């Protein structure tokens, strides 16, 4: 499943954040903070950092945790988790 390159996540009805992090099987944990999503992954090499950077948000990697800073991304991931 491909994700359209759009910063307007709310209008992107088919938004699937897992593709950025190597798929659902590579994601161990998703933690939502106020304006940040922390995604713990099994294998960092499967994370598509180029696509994440195209979303124009701050990205920090600490160990196997990818921290993404964007209130819009947080809302999109939270909405996706609540489906």
């Amino acid at each position: 499943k491909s994700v359209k390159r759009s910063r307007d996540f709310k209008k992107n009805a088919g938004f699937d954040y897992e593709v950025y992090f190597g798929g659902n099987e590579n994601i161990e944990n998703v933690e939502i903070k106020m304006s940040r999503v922390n995604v713990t992954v099994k294998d960092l090499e499967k994370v598509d950092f180029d696509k994440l950077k195209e979303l124009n948000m701050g990205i920090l990697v600490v160990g196997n945790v990818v921290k993404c800073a964007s209130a819009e991304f947080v809302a999109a991931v939270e909405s996706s988790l609540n489906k």
Side-chain angles (χ1 to χ4, degrees):
K1 191 174 185 180
S2 64
V3 176
K4 295 178 184 175
R5 293 180 193 174
S6 170
R7 185 149 174 144
D8 192 356
F9 302 111
K10 292 175 185 172
K11 290 182 182 175
N12 210 348
F15 182 72
D16 183 8
Y17 73 93
E18 291 106 346
V19 298
Y20 294 106
F21 300 99
N24 193 41
E25 65 281 347
N26 194 44
I27 297 173
E28 291 185 337
N29 188 43
V30 177
E31 182 180 19
I32 297 176
K33 300 286 186 173
M34 290 178 65
S35 63
R36 187 176 70 232
V37 176
N38 296 340
V39 181
T40 305
V41 296
K42 295 175 186 172
D43 185 357
L44 280 173
E45 291 185 18
K46 292 182 180 179
V47 177
D48 194 338
F49 289 103
D50 291 332
K51 282 189 180 180
L52 283 171
K53 288 176 186 174
E54 288 176 5
L55 299 175
N56 296 322
M57 66 179 153
I59 302 167
L60 176 67
V61 178
V62 179
N64 275 16
V65 180
V66 181
K67 299 181 178 197
C68 303
S70 164
E72 294 165 336
F73 190 69
V74 168
V77 171
E78 190 170 35
S79 173
S80 179
L81 288 173
N82 290 331
K83 286 183 181 178

